């Protein structure tokens, strides 16, 4: 796409916007119709994804002054159109992420415990880190299994605690 075509498209867009303004000024448009036109234009210009629209509201947590909080909330609501469908979609995505993390955490805990309980193959047995007696000790596989268990516990707890905070 060359610069002339971009300029032509921008000029055409400006011309159509001017035509729309003149048309709206000439005719008597009721409040509902004006709102519908405004929503249509807003949605055509708004290319943000749902998480970005919701992320804007998370910045309100840092505001201490209640009047400033109210002003910022009013501004955000006027510029980021949220409805129950959008919020339900966002919340269901977040819940799905948390449940997937919980399931992965449980699987990792189970896998790590199984690695500790089950006998290790002979090539892992020769890498004993610490001996309890001449026949038994902490092997490399035990340390790897503990690392897997701790990772699973971390994933599980982080997703459960995040779920409770919401």
């Amino acid at each position: 796409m060359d610069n002339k075509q971009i300029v032509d498209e921008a000029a055409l867009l400006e011309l159509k916007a001017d035509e729309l303004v003149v048309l709206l000024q000439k005719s008597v448009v009721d409040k509902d119709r004006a709102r519908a036109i405004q929503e249509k234009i807003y949605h055509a210009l708004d290319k943000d994804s749902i998480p970005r629209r919701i992320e804007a509201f998370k910045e309100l947590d840092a505001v201490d002054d209640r009047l400033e909080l109210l002003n910022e909330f009013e501004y955000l609501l006027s510029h980021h159109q949220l409805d129950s469908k959008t919020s339900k979609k966002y919340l269901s995505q977040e819940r799905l992420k948390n449940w997937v993390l919980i399931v992965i955490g449980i699987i990792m805990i189970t896998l790590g415990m199984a690695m500790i309980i089950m006998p290790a193959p002979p090539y892992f047995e020769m890498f004993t880190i610490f001996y309890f007696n001449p026949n038994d000790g902490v092997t490399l596989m035990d340390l790897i299994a503990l690392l897997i268990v701790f990772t699973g516990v971390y994933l599980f707890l982080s997703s459960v605690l995040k779920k409770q905070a919401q």
Side-chain angles (χ1 to χ4, degrees):
M1 190 181 290
D2 59 343
N3 287 338
K4 185 177 180 183
Q5 186 178 4
I6 293 173
V7 171
D8 290 343
E9 287 179 6
L12 181 64
L13 186 62
E14 294 241 354
L15 179 68
K16 294 296 182 181
D18 292 339
E19 287 178 13
L20 178 64
V21 169
V22 169
L23 232 155
L24 288 174
Q25 288 173 346
K26 283 183 182 179
S27 66
V28 178
V29 180
D30 63 339
K31 192 176 186 178
D32 293 332
R33 185 73 179 148
R35 169 105 29 210
I37 292 170
Q38 182 181 9
E39 288 288 321
K40 193 181 288 186
I41 292 171
Y42 177 79
H43 286 298
L45 294 175
D46 184 31
K47 293 185 170 74
D48 284 349
S49 64
I50 292 172
R52 283 191 186 167
R53 283 189 259 166
I54 292 180
E55 287 294 324
F57 286 91
K58 290 185 178 179
E59 294 174 10
L60 290 177
D61 291 339
V63 177
D64 292 331
D65 186 24
R66 301 212 26 104
L67 184 59
E68 184 182 343
L69 176 72
L70 183 63
N71 288 337
E72 286 188 25
F73 191 64
E74 179 183 10
Y75 174 79
L76 285 172
L77 282 175
S78 65
H79 284 81
H80 299 282
Q81 299 295 324
L82 293 176
D83 56 358
S84 60
K85 186 177 182 181
T86 305
S87 61
K88 284 181 184 177
K89 185 176 180 182
Y90 175 77
L91 288 175
S92 65
Q93 289 173 351
E94 289 298 313
R95 285 187 191 118
L96 181 65
K97 287 178 190 175
N98 281 340
W99 280 106
V100 167
L101 279 178
I102 288 172
V103 168
I104 290 173
I106 290 172
I107 289 172
M108 288 185 75
I109 292 169
T110 307
L111 177 69
M113 291 302 220
M115 286 175 68
I116 292 172
I117 294 170
M118 293 173 62
Y123 52 88
F124 269 84
E125 289 293 334
M126 66 182 185
F127 299 118
T128 304
I129 309 296
F130 178 77
Y131 286 97
F132 296 126
N133 58 38
N135 297 326
D136 195 21
V138 177
T139 64
L140 179 64
M141 187 167 170
D142 293 334
L143 293 178
I144 293 171
L146 280 176
L147 184 67
I148 292 172
V149 168
F150 289 144
T151 305
V153 169
Y154 172 76
L155 288 175
F156 180 78
L157 288 179
S158 66
S159 61
V160 168
L161 295 177
K162 184 191 226 181
K163 188 176 180 180
Q164 289 177 353
Q166 290 177 352

